[in-house]
Amino acid sequence: MDTVFIEGLRLEALIGVHDRERHAPQPLLLDLRMRFDVRIAAVSDTLADALDYESISRRLAEFAAQTDFMLIETLAEGCAALVLEEFGARGVWLKLSKPGALPNATAAGVEIQRGSFGE
């Protein structure tokens, strides 16, 4: 199985458990690896046979902007489910980072694997 990836996708979401985090959307970074057989797309050379990472990026940004989860884990699960269910990826690995979450770290976040990447 092949991997299609998106790195450093910038998302905005209302996320966090502290009062100071609940007033405005915060920037997040998403790294995404999707398991998908690219052979059909390689032969046909058409987007309809490929995993359209531009459409996936737009949909994930839209999804994140509409949420108001407390935990980044919940948003990560939702993003993974969206890619599997709406776009037909066979597996997903994603890293969702919250820059500035800790004063002494670049970012904090979660990595999850679903579908053929894990579970």
Side-chain angles (χ1 to χ4, degrees), residues 70-89:
M70 302 292 278
L71 299 177
I72 198 166
E73 291 87 346
T74 310
L75 181 57
E77 284 289 343
C79 289
L82 184 151
V83 172
L84 292 169
E85 294 167 12
E86 293 186 24
F87 293 94

Side-chain angles (χ1 to χ4, degrees), residues 32-101:
L32 181 64
R33 302 212 181 306
M34 302 163 283
R35 300 293 282 180
F36 188 79
D37 188 345
V38 302
R39 290 177 289 187
I40 294 170
V43 170
S44 72
D45 199 29
T46 61
L47 184 58
D49 293 327
L51 198 54
D52 184 352
Y53 49 79
E54 183 177 359
S55 292
I56 293 168
S57 298
R58 278 195 312 262
R59 181 68 180 98
L60 287 169
E62 174 186 276
F63 174 73
Q66 294 174 350
T67 65
D68 65 348
F69 299 124
M70 302 292 278
L71 299 177
I72 198 166
E73 291 87 346
T74 310
L75 181 57
E77 284 289 343
C79 289
L82 184 151
V83 172
L84 292 169
E85 294 167 12
E86 293 186 24
F87 293 94
R90 302 224 176 136
V92 172
W93 169 91
L94 68 80
K95 176 181 172 184
L96 189 56
S97 303
K98 190 174 174 183

